[in-house]
């Protein structure tokens, strides 16, 4: 688990839910924010990124909010009434929402928080890798465009264009993408 503070947003109107969560998720490990209103929660989510969002589904009709916010990078835990748990979890879990029954046992809840933190760490790593891959794909696209321009305008072969870009990058102590962008701007 990371040494940094874990930001948690708890969306519930029920003090029987917020009180035990507040007692379990204490500073300095957790920074917990409570909301009783879904509109206020949406505003807070737009202003700040929470690692974990805990949503109390109340009578089960409020699970739409958990599904809506599941497309963020936050890990979403949905608290469902035990008599509706199967129905709600069946609907929410395809969106990556972790569901647990309420009332909940403290030990069971804390273990779910640990699972949520593990999921969050995995999401962060995958997100970071995705950004790197997108940057690499953009570099390849720009370099290929520059090679095409060299092939068309300078009558080079693809190998010659590739070698030209590589050599220019080394000679000028620049990245390939910078050389490619210069070629594109000049042509």
């Amino acid at each position: 688990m990371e040494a940094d503070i874990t930001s948690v947003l708890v969306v519930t109107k029920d003090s029987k839910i917020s009180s035990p969560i507040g007692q379990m998720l204490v500073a300095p490990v957790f920074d917990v924010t409570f909301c009783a209103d879904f509109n206020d929660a949406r505003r807070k989510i737009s202003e700040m990124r929470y690692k974990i969002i805990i949503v109390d589904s109340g009578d089960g009709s409020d699970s739409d909010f958990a599904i809506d916010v599941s497309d963020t990078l936050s890990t979403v835990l949905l608290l469902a009434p035990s008599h509706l748990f199967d129905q709600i979890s069946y609907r929410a879990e395809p969106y990556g929402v972790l569901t647990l029954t309420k009332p909940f046992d403290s030990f069971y809840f804390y273990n779910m928080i640990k699972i949520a933190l593990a999921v969050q760490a995995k999401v962060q790593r995958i997100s970071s890798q995705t950004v790197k891959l997108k940057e690499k794909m953009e570099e390849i696209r720009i370099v290929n465009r520059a090679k095409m321009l060299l092939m068309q305008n300078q009558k080079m072969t693809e190998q010659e264009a590739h070698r030209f870009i590589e050599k220019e990058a080394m000679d000028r102590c620049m990245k390939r993408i910078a050389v490619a962008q210069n070629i594109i701007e000049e042509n």
Side-chain angles (χ1 to χ4, degrees), residues 149-165:
L149 288 170
L150 289 172
M151 291 165 57
Q152 288 173 350
N153 299 338
Q154 305 295 323
K155 307 297 183 211
M156 293 183 183
T157 66
E158 198 226 340
Q159 287 178 334
E160 290 170 336
H162 179 79
R163 183 154 177 7
F164 177 81
I165 292 171

Side-chain angles (χ1 to χ4, degrees), residues 16-185:
K16 292 178 185 173
I17 299 292
S18 59
S19 181
I21 290 175
Q23 291 172 359
M24 283 185 275
L25 306 180
V26 295
V29 177
F30 297 98
D31 177 23
V32 182
T33 304
F34 291 94
C35 264
D37 177 74
F38 290 116
N39 290 328
D40 186 34
R42 286 182 203 283
R43 183 184 55 74
K44 288 182 187 290
I45 291 168
S46 72
E47 293 171 355
M48 181 181 161
R49 186 180 167 281
Y50 294 91
K51 287 188 178 180
I52 300 173
I53 300 173
I54 301 171
V55 180
D56 178 14
S57 71
D59 61 0
S61 63
D62 301 327
S63 59
D64 289 339
F65 174 78
I67 292 170
D68 289 345
V69 298
S70 69
D71 63 354
T72 65
L73 290 178
S74 303
T75 302
V76 181
L77 288 173
L78 178 60
L79 305 176
S82 56
H83 67 284
L84 297 172
F85 178 77
D86 289 334
Q87 176 185 348
I88 291 172
S89 65
Y90 179 77
R91 183 165 175 261
E93 286 174 353
Y95 296 94
V97 175
L98 301 171
T99 54
L100 60 150
T101 60
K102 64 175 190 174
F104 51 82
D105 174 77
S106 297
F107 178 76
Y108 176 67
F109 178 78
Y110 196 74
N111 280 330
M112 284 301 287
I113 293 294
K114 288 171 59 177
I115 290 169
L117 290 172
V119 167
Q120 186 55 226
K122 183 84 166 179
V123 166
Q124 284 301 119
R125 278 195 307 280
I126 291 171
S127 178
S128 174
Q129 290 171 349
T130 301
V131 168
K132 288 177 187 174
L133 285 173
K134 284 182 180 179
E135 289 171 356
K136 186 67 176 170
M137 287 173 48
E138 181 66 10
E139 178 184 338
I140 290 169
R141 187 185 68 74
I142 290 171
V143 168
N144 283 341
R145 185 169 173 211
K147 281 198 265 184
M148 290 300 294
L149 288 170
L150 289 172
M151 291 165 57
Q152 288 173 350
N153 299 338
Q154 305 295 323
K155 307 297 183 211
M156 293 183 183
T157 66
E158 198 226 340
Q159 287 178 334
E160 290 170 336
H162 179 79
R163 183 154 177 7
F164 177 81
I165 292 171
E166 292 284 329
K167 186 169 181 349
E168 284 291 306
M170 284 185 1
D171 291 348
R172 293 182 177 179
C173 295
M174 296 171 68
K175 291 187 175 188
R176 289 180 338 138
I177 191 167
V179 171
Q181 287 171 331
N182 288 342
I183 291 169
I184 291 168
E185 289 172 8

